[in-house]
Amino acid sequence: MTDLGVRRPTLLGGVGESAARPDGIAKTTGEFEFLGDMSADGMLWGATRRAYVPHARIVGLDVTPALAMRGVHAVLTFDDVPGHRYQGQHVTDQPVLAEGVIRHWGEAVAVVAADDPETARRAAAAITLELEELEPLTDLEEALERGEVYRHVRVRRGDPEARGEVVVEGTYETGMQDPAPLGNEAGLALPDGAGGVDIWGPTQWTHVDHRQLSACLGLQPEAVRVHPCRIGGAFGAREDLSLQTHIGMLALRTGRPVKMVYDRSESFAGHVKRHRSQMRYRHEADRDGNLVRVTARLLLDGGAYELTSAAVVANSSYFAVGAYDCPNVEVDGYVLRTNDPPTGAMRGFGANQPCFAAEAQMDRLAAQLGMDPLELRLRNALEQGGHLATTGQLIEHPLPTREVIRSLAAIPLPEPNDSDDPRLLPGGTGLTTPRSGVVRGVGYAVGFKNLQFSEAFDDYAEARVELTPDGAVVHTAAIEVGQGLVTILEQIVRSTLNMTHVRVAFDHTGRIGSAGSTSASRQTQMAGGAALEAARRVRDEALERAGGDELDEAGVWRDGRLLASLEELCAGAAIEHHVRYRHPATEEPDENGQGALHVDFCVAAHRAVVDVDVDLGMLRVVEIAIAQDVGKALNPQQLHGQIEGGIAQGMGQAIMEEVVLDRGVVRNPTFMDYLLPTSLDMPPVEAVLVEEPSPWGPYGAKGMAELPTVSATPAVAAAIRAATGRPLDRVPVRPQGIVGLQ
Amino acid sequence: MIITLTVNGQPRTAEIAGWESLLWVLRERLGLPGAKDACLQGECGSCSVVLDGELVCSCLVMAADAEGARVTTAEGLGTIEQPHPVQQAFVDHGAVQCGYCTPGLVVAVAHLLERHPDASDDDLREALSGNLCRCTGYGSVLRAVAALRKEQA
């Protein structure tokens, strides 16, 4: 049993290193099999018939012309839904296929399975659909008046009579943003031959899909297995079902595998978007700049079905003031039912909209007080020991608000642009901005958001770690959407077991319990927390079995002597531990929105530098700097990747990304018309990671990937305001706003 | 109709329908799913391949027009066992997140560095502006390319 000749192996890729993704190379060579790359023997192709009107009654629906086509195997409508006919995460109010009424542009009416995708497409088009168009409800004030409210969050804190001497008021608006993951929706459903079905679809949480799918497909839970997906990004777009129920129905009806792939325009119709908003704010402060009172009314466009809107408006309302102390607060947040496309999760989850408005208010307040905008923010900064302005919750854990602001301010400003290269001027190569007509602006914003699920939600994640002769395997149902959870789980378990060879197995819903959603900045702490605890138990059991005091790749050691190799340890009963991990509990809000509703918080500060052609309304973002609270950096390279990518999306919302709505009709559902930032639009990013370890996150880590998006938007808008002197109270900022025509 | 073309150095034949694009033929007829289908309008570059020495969006090339052509895809640059230096650099510098844009970007970067090894950072930003990436914000992609140029210099 003893072996004096064994060398102690070195741990590679542990916590704190910029470990490489295990799936990275396969993603560069085309060998990584995405959902849309999957196929199965005897597979049929699905297609969806949609109604591209915002509101209508279905007066005629005839599928016989499609069924009569050669190569068509099934055409299904609402009446064919085998189980519960409505889906939704919180409230099941969304018909699986339209039920007599079209409630939003692009709503699915029927689905087809055929031999090939072209036949499926033509069959879907051949379905006779007669519509009687109805007046769409798209005005938010009107929706409020009519009581079309999914949820009203009411916050009352402090003294209703308290007043500040210095007052600023404003109204703000944010556009509807599309998460636009580059991987379009695709999926495969495989009948199991025993009446059940296996489903691969675009998801961020297989278990919440599983609950809805088994209900809608009319199957026992064990007859449906939802598989983890290999997916081209998410950003919130996959939190709600898209094509999963449809392919499941088609596969069950035909008894054959069914694959479906959306093209980009259908993708715009088929996934949720960020809520557009209208916000009214009033900030009151004393002469020294201390906030005395904030009053806000927030209207969010929830679209035609509820989905996650109730949780989104909660975030908007509770983070309406930002990372600031303020003793007296009154917020009314409403999310409204309209005939716009359904909205739901997108990176930031409701914290983005009020951040845009409240940070603009802070700048206005600073201007009125004659105070430096960063000084005003430092003066009011909310930190550990303070109370959340809205809910009154004590901030128990580190929140380095002042540190992120000071770290940001210490980053040197970029040099002035002295080049006439048109690529470095607003408008780029196609326009004629002379350098002399360019004004530079600098703007700041602080972002603030909760981590994990809130409001007493039973939030947990499961993981199982098993020791094998070749290292360790981590089992989880958590979804890797590209963010790098797979790397982080490996790193956490490597450091805990002190061994390099660790791999992650992503299991389907029949094999392991829920890991919760890949959203709310939660998986590093939640799936990571579960993996850490399971790995600790594996380590303890291995040490105990062999009677040693150290574990590594070679086995268990005591006093420099190897007592048992991994092979010997694994020869008996398996060493594996399964953990259901919960974060500290949260409370439900009382009737005034008060309580300890959140488990933890994260903060970031942004500075944007923008060159603006104030005559033509063109601009170029020169640089974005950020200081970000990360708890503890588990993988610095991945953190920088989340920061840069998050900033690109926040900048996109500030200057170019908007789902253009015309009385409920989406006018730009393509990448020609819905503009994503390119490598020319995206500036260099200067990032500082601020480390104040979380007392409960694995190795001190905090979730962080939403904040870079949240405050990038207001910082860019503030920089354009600084260059132009215009109010610019809506994003995306438009050229007509820059030149003062709006 | 039947077309014959050279893909990643191998002669290949495919039976196609008239509506099919080169992208469709690569993905569905020839078993090469590296080129992706994120927009099918030539806007995103996820389907980038090199066609007779030119970087193209394969979604915009009719398959029938590729008769006799030489095509290089991400699969033709390297494999998991033997990645191309550009592929390795992408992983080393964190330029891979979800990976959906990656095969197209890798093809575009390899093509660019072959033709313009001295391209400046601004040239790079311009040259890669036809390849959309939603995850990275491009910073890591540019760092990967900068490291490759340093190695080549």
Side-chain angles (χ1 to χ4, degrees):
Chain A
M1 199 99 169
T2 54
D3 184 347
L4 297 173
V6 179
R7 278 183 54 216
R8 301 298 294 266
T10 315
L11 175 67
L12 297 174
V15 160
E17 290 182 46
S18 288
R21 304 179 64 97
D23 56 7
I25 292 289
K27 285 183 173 182
T28 69
T29 63
E31 289 163 275
F32 183 88
E33 189 181 53
F34 286 94
L35 284 169
D37 304 332
M38 297 179 77
S39 62
D41 289 339
M43 179 178 89
L44 300 173
W45 288 76
T48 310
R49 175 62 185 269
R50 294 176 183 275
Y52 287 98
V53 297
H55 195 197
R57 204 181 339 272
I58 298 176
V59 292
L61 176 61
D62 183 7
V63 302
T64 49
L67 269 176
M69 288 171 68
R70 207 170 136 189
V72 172
H73 296 264
V75 184
L76 306 178
T77 66
F78 177 78
D79 292 333
D80 300 303
V81 180
H84 188 56
R85 291 177 177 178
Y86 303 85
Q87 58 194 25
Q89 270 196 48
H90 296 208
V91 177
T92 55
D93 66 346
Q94 181 179 35
V96 171
L97 290 163
E99 180 206 7
V101 179
I102 303 300
R103 295 192 180 86
H104 68 87
W105 176 90
E107 183 155 9
V109 177
V111 287
V112 175
D115 284 336
D116 62 79
E118 182 61 12
T119 304
R121 188 189 66 77
R122 283 170 34 219
I127 294 166
T128 310
L129 176 63
E130 280 177 70
L131 299 172
E132 181 190 308
E133 287 207 43
L134 302 169
E135 194 63 22
L137 173 60
T138 60
D139 184 277
L140 298 187
E141 294 287 355
E142 192 186 335
L144 181 62
E145 237 166 68
R146 288 210 225 158
E148 297 287 353
V149 179
Y150 290 122
R151 184 175 177 188
H152 169 206
V153 176
R154 179 178 173 278
V155 174
R156 296 289 183 277
R157 179 163 172 251
D159 174 4
E161 305 303 322
R163 289 289 176 272
E165 273 182 77
V166 185
V167 178
V168 291
E169 290 184 307
T171 57
Y172 302 89
E173 194 177 295
T174 63
M176 185 177 281
Q177 187 179 21
D178 194 282
L182 215 59
N184 32 339
E185 284 73 12
L188 179 70
L190 211 58
D192 65 8
V197 66
D198 286 83
I199 295 177
W200 288 260
T203 184
Q204 293 172 231
W205 187 0
T206 48
H207 284 78
V208 83
D209 290 1
H210 178 266
R211 189 182 72 213
Q212 297 173 76
L213 287 168
S214 52
C216 293
L217 296 175
L219 295 174
Q220 292 301 311
E222 56 275 14
V224 179
R225 288 153 304 273
V226 181
H227 290 255
C229 56
R230 291 181 150 196
I231 192 179
F235 317 117
R238 331 303 198 173
E239 275 212 35
D240 296 290
L241 292 170
S242 52
L243 46 66
Q244 290 94 324
T245 331
H246 301 157
I247 56 176
M249 286 168 62
L250 290 168
L252 289 172
R253 176 64 72 95
T254 61
R256 290 171 65 176
V258 175
K259 174 174 174 172
M260 192 184 272
V261 179
Y262 289 176
D263 69 11
R264 181 53 54 180
S265 288
E266 189 168 21
S267 177
F268 271 94
H271 63 232
V272 293
K273 306 180 194 323
R274 189 192 299 290
H275 296 67
R276 75 184 171 100
S277 71
Q278 290 167 3
M279 298 169 283
R280 209 162 60 198
Y281 266 82
R282 178 184 169 94
H283 276 58
E284 301 177 37
D286 67 21
R287 287 271 158 216
D288 296 327
N290 299 303
L291 287 176
V292 175
R293 178 176 193 78
V294 174
T295 314
R297 193 197 66 162
L298 318 171
L299 304 184
L300 302 188
D301 185 350
Y305 299 110
E306 180 167 331
L307 305 174
T308 56
S309 279
V312 172
V313 75
N315 268 8
S316 299
S317 305
Y318 301 140
F319 297 92
V321 175
Y324 307 114
D325 272 316
C326 179
N328 308 295
V329 173
E330 186 177 324
V331 178
D332 288 287
Y334 300 89
V335 65
L336 302 155
R337 180 189 290 109
T338 68
N339 294 113
D340 283 327
T343 44
M346 187 179 166
R347 202 174 196 163
F349 202 81
N352 313 59
Q353 295 90 337
C355 186
F356 168 67
E359 289 300 293
Q361 285 285 101
M362 292 300 278
D363 284 344
R364 286 184 181 176
L365 189 59
Q368 190 130 328
L369 288 159
M371 206 168 171
D372 177 82
L374 287 186
E375 188 49 46
L376 178 68
R377 287 170 168 89
L378 284 168
R379 171 173 287 267
N380 290 284
L382 173 67
E383 295 210 316
Q384 187 173 23
H387 292 84
L388 188 62
T390 47
T391 67
Q393 176 174 359
L394 173 69
I395 307 292
E396 283 184 77
H397 302 317
L399 185 71
T401 306
R402 290 193 178 85
E403 182 61 25
V404 297
I405 296 172
R406 290 195 182 111
S407 299
L408 178 76
I411 300 172
L413 278 162
E415 297 294 317
N417 176 27
D418 55 6
S419 162
D420 288 316
D421 185 336
R423 294 175 300 190
L424 305 180
L425 290 168
T429 51
L431 286 143
T432 52
T433 292
R435 186 146 55 88
S436 56
V438 173
V439 181
R440 177 161 288 190
V442 180
Y444 296 90
V446 174
F448 182 45
K449 194 192 172 288
N450 55 330
L451 303 171
Q452 335 302 332
F453 292 156
S454 301
E455 295 188 305
F457 191 91
D458 181 19
D459 191 7
Y460 64 85
E462 292 192 8
R464 185 161 57 86
V465 173
E466 59 171 307
L467 197 64
T468 75
D470 307 317
V473 183
V474 188
H475 295 266
T476 177
I479 296 298
E480 162 66 49
V481 293
Q483 81 280 38
L485 175 68
V486 64
T487 325
I488 294 298
L489 292 179
E490 285 184 352
Q491 290 181 269
I492 288 171
V493 174
R494 280 184 192 130
S495 285
T496 310
L497 297 180
N498 193 27
M499 65 182 63
T500 304
H501 287 91
V502 173
R503 82 183 165 83
V504 179
F506 293 105
D507 286 343
H508 67 64
T509 49
R511 289 230 176 103
I512 194 165
S514 174
S517 181
T518 289
S519 64
S521 298
R522 66 184 282 292
Q523 289 298 21
T524 291
Q525 281 171 289
M526 296 304 295
L532 172 63
E533 182 54 32
R536 275 184 185 146
R537 293 184 195 176
V538 164
R539 180 195 58 200
D540 293 348
E541 188 180 335
L543 293 177
E544 196 186 312
R545 274 201 201 177
D549 53 15
E550 275 186 275
L551 173 71
D552 64 21
E553 201 96 50
V556 172
W557 301 72
R558 178 187 285 282
D559 302 330
R561 288 163 59 109
L562 186 66
L563 300 180
S565 68
L566 288 190
E567 204 152 58
E568 288 164 332
L569 280 168
C570 297
I575 301 183
E576 61 174 8
H577 285 273
H578 176 257
V579 167
R580 178 177 280 200
Y581 175 79
R582 285 185 166 81
H583 62 65
T586 58
E587 298 173 358
E588 280 185 42
D590 70 11
E591 68 281 5
N592 291 317
Q594 303 297 293
L597 314 184
H598 306 293
V599 63
D600 215 341
F601 308 89
C602 188
V603 66
H606 278 84
R607 181 187 69 205
V609 178
V610 178
D611 281 349
V612 185
D613 179 331
V614 292
D615 297 319
L616 288 179
M618 310 308 293
L619 60 87
R620 175 174 175 270
V621 181
V622 175
E623 185 202 81
I624 297 182
I626 177 173
Q628 159 106 36
D629 166 25
V630 300
K632 191 77 190 159
L634 300 191
N635 184 319
Q637 185 185 72
Q638 284 196 177
L639 284 169
H640 282 278
Q642 289 302 310
I643 285 172
E644 290 173 337
I647 285 175
Q649 292 175 13
M651 183 192 80
Q653 168 140 55
I655 61 173
M656 62 211 297
E657 286 186 41
E658 181 169 14
V659 175
V660 177
L661 293 168
D662 176 2
R663 303 271 296 142
V665 175
V666 175
R667 290 298 184 197
N668 58 341
T670 72
F671 280 169
M672 270 186 210
D673 302 305
Y674 185 91
L675 299 183
L676 297 179
T678 70
S679 52
L680 272 177
D681 300 308
M682 183 62 195
V685 169
E686 291 295 327
V688 175
L689 308 179
V690 174
E691 294 188 291
E692 282 193 28
S694 156
W696 65 275
Y699 293 97
K702 270 188 177 182
M704 51 65 68
E706 292 171 287
L707 262 292
T709 305
V710 172
S711 36
T713 308
V716 171
I720 306 170
R721 276 186 212 112
T724 60
R726 309 236 183 246
L728 302 176
D729 51 14
R730 69 104 54 200
V731 283
V733 173
R734 297 164 173 152
Q736 52 267 47
I738 293 176
V739 299
L741 294 174
Q742 187 182 57
Chain B
M1 100 189 62
I2 290 179
I3 61 166
T4 303
L5 65 172
T6 304
V7 183
N8 301 329
Q10 305 287 319
R12 301 293 299 264
T13 301
E15 190 175 345
I16 64 164
W19 58 266
E20 291 180 19
S21 65
L22 174 59
L23 173 65
W24 182 263
V25 170
L26 291 169
R27 288 180 57 82
E28 302 295 336
R29 305 275 181 212
L30 301 179
L32 294 168
K36 298 298 180 210
D37 54 356
C39 83
L40 302 178
Q41 288 186 309
E43 286 293 324
C44 76
S46 72
C47 64
S48 298
V49 300
V50 176
L51 175 77
D52 289 333
E54 296 293 330
L55 185 69
V56 298
C57 287
S58 60
C59 73
L60 297 184
V61 177
M62 293 308 294
D65 287 340
E67 167 67 32
R70 297 179 67 81
V71 178
T72 304
T73 71
E75 289 95 338
L77 292 180
T79 61
I80 291 176
E81 293 73 30
Q82 278 195 306
H84 186 278
V86 172
Q87 292 169 325
Q88 187 64 52
F90 265 55
V91 176
D92 293 345
H93 294 272
V96 179
Q97 286 189 32
C98 90
Y100 214 75
C101 71
T102 307
L105 253 174
V106 162
V107 168
V109 167
H111 182 257
L112 178 78
L113 287 178
E114 219 167 84
R115 290 190 147 198
H116 304 287
D118 303 327
S120 69
D121 277 353
D122 293 326
D123 295 339
L124 274 171
R125 283 189 180 273
E126 187 176 6
L128 299 179
S129 64
N131 289 80
L132 294 177
C133 173
R134 188 56 156 165
C135 296
T136 66
Y138 308 100
S140 51
V141 174
L142 296 166
R143 287 191 289 278
V145 179
L148 283 165
R149 279 184 310 188
K150 210 177 262 178
E151 274 172 31
Q152 285 173 1

